[in-house]
């Protein structure tokens, strides 16, 4: 089955551009930072909390268009999706790897000071 | 209906020609959920994000049915060292 319908309208795209650039760290996730509704999302929330960095979260479970549109916007099929300094950083596995290697902390420090 | 471990393996094998591939079914019966370790020459010169994108796009069809996918390792053949002597391996790469 071919789907030509795109959830990523120009309006949604410009909204997302604004969202990811108006905060240093944005996490699109299932649930909220206080009530994650998926283990993968929870993992990234805990990593960000442990690094003591301020971050915004958006609950994709509350907005199906946002959820579908983001997959196209990020060119990434799953959630959570982490944005740092306006750029897509990765999903859960990449965040864990970068956390272990110290790369994430380095990048966040750079983002906070920029 | 659904996606099997074999389908995931077949898609990754045909698209990424891995020299090592391990697909683990982590669903426990509640839906398609997999963990993957993959070693491929196609990861050469690519950052982790780009490597994961390659895996995701190789599984584009299957992703519609997959509930959770965890890419544990996406390495080049040079990075893939059978477990022992990590120190040796590190100095050898310099």
């Amino acid at each position: 089955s071919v789907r030509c319908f795109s959830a990523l309208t120009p309006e949604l795209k410009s909204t997302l551009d604004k969202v990811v650039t108006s905060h240093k760290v944005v996490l699109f996730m299932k649930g909220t930072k206080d009530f994650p509704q998926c283990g993968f999302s929870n993992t990234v929330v805990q990593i960000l909390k442990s690094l003591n960095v301020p971050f915004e979260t958006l609950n994709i479970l509350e907005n199906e268009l946002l959820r579908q549109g983001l997959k196209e916007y990020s060119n990434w099929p799953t959630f959570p999706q982490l944005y740092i300094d306006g750029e897509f950083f990765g999903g859960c596995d990449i965040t864990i790897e970068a956390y272990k290697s110290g790369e994430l902390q380095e990048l966040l420090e750079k983002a906070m000071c920029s | 209906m659904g996606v099997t471990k074999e389908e995931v393996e077949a898609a990754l094998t045909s698209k990424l020609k891995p020299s090592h591939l391990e697909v683990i079914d982590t669903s426990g019966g509640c839906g398609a959920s997999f963990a993957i370790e993959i070693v491929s020459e196609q990861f050469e010169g690519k950052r982790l994000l780009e490597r994961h994108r390659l895996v995701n796009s190789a599984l584009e069809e299957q992703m519609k049915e997959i509930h959770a996918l965890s890419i544990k390792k996406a390495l080049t053949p040079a990075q893939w060292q059978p477990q022992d002597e990590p120190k040796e391996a590190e100095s050898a790469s310099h």
Side-chain angles (χ1 to χ4, degrees):
Chain A
S1 62
V2 180
R3 279 177 47 201
C4 298
F5 167 76
S6 170
L8 188 62
T9 59
E11 293 75 23
L12 181 54
K13 187 183 177 302
S14 77
T15 303
L16 288 172
D17 284 341
K18 273 187 211 121
V19 170
V20 300
T21 50
S22 58
H23 309 281
K24 299 279 187 182
V25 184
V26 183
L27 182 66
F28 297 97
M29 62 177 284
K30 294 184 177 176
T32 63
K33 71 169 94 172
D34 296 318
F35 186 44
Q37 287 177 258
C38 165
F40 297 98
S41 288
N42 183 43
T43 298
V44 176
V45 166
Q46 296 314 320
I47 286 175
L48 292 174
K49 282 186 176 172
S50 81
L51 292 173
N52 211 11
V53 67
F55 62 102
E56 291 297 318
T57 60
L58 278 94
N59 183 359
I60 54 99
L61 293 178
E62 283 178 351
N63 188 332
E64 186 59 24
L65 266 186
L66 173 69
R67 180 181 189 164
Q68 294 309 325
L70 262 169
K71 292 182 186 180
E72 292 176 50
Y73 183 77
S74 312
N75 183 26
W76 195 259
T78 54
F79 292 93
Q81 297 184 0
L82 179 63
Y83 276 79
I84 300 173
D85 237 351
E87 260 190 67
F88 179 62
F89 181 73
C92 184
D93 295 324
I94 287 178
T95 305
I96 292 172
E97 276 304 308
Y99 175 62
K100 284 191 201 153
S101 72
E103 189 198 330
L104 181 63
Q105 184 159 12
E106 206 175 294
L107 188 67
L108 287 171
E109 277 167 9
K110 214 192 285 172
M112 289 306 152
C113 299
S114 68
Chain B
M1 273 302 288
V3 181
T4 64
K5 176 174 177 283
E6 287 71 28
E7 284 171 305
V8 171
E9 284 169 347
L12 290 172
T13 301
S14 76
K15 305 243 172 65
L16 297 175
K17 311 268 181 291
S19 58
H20 168 84
L21 175 65
E22 191 171 351
V23 177
I24 302 149
D25 187 335
T26 52
S27 70
C30 69
S33 164
F34 301 96
I36 293 172
E37 276 187 28
I38 183 166
V39 179
S40 167
E41 279 181 5
Q42 293 184 34
F43 296 146
E44 209 77 60
K46 295 195 170 65
R47 297 180 49 210
L48 193 56
L49 177 64
E50 298 172 86
R51 294 177 186 194
H52 282 219
R53 282 202 203 281
L54 279 177
V55 173
N56 288 335
S57 64
L59 294 176
E60 198 181 356
E61 272 309 302
Q62 289 75 20
M63 284 306 280
K64 292 171 191 163
E65 308 266 343
I66 290 175
H67 295 267
L69 179 73
S70 184
I71 304 170
K72 296 288 180 200
K73 288 194 177 118
L75 303 173
T76 63
Q79 290 171 323
W80 171 248
Q81 303 288 345
Q83 300 325 313
D84 48 28
E85 314 235 318
K87 271 202 177 124
E88 283 281 310
E90 213 171 72
S91 57
S93 72
H94 281 212

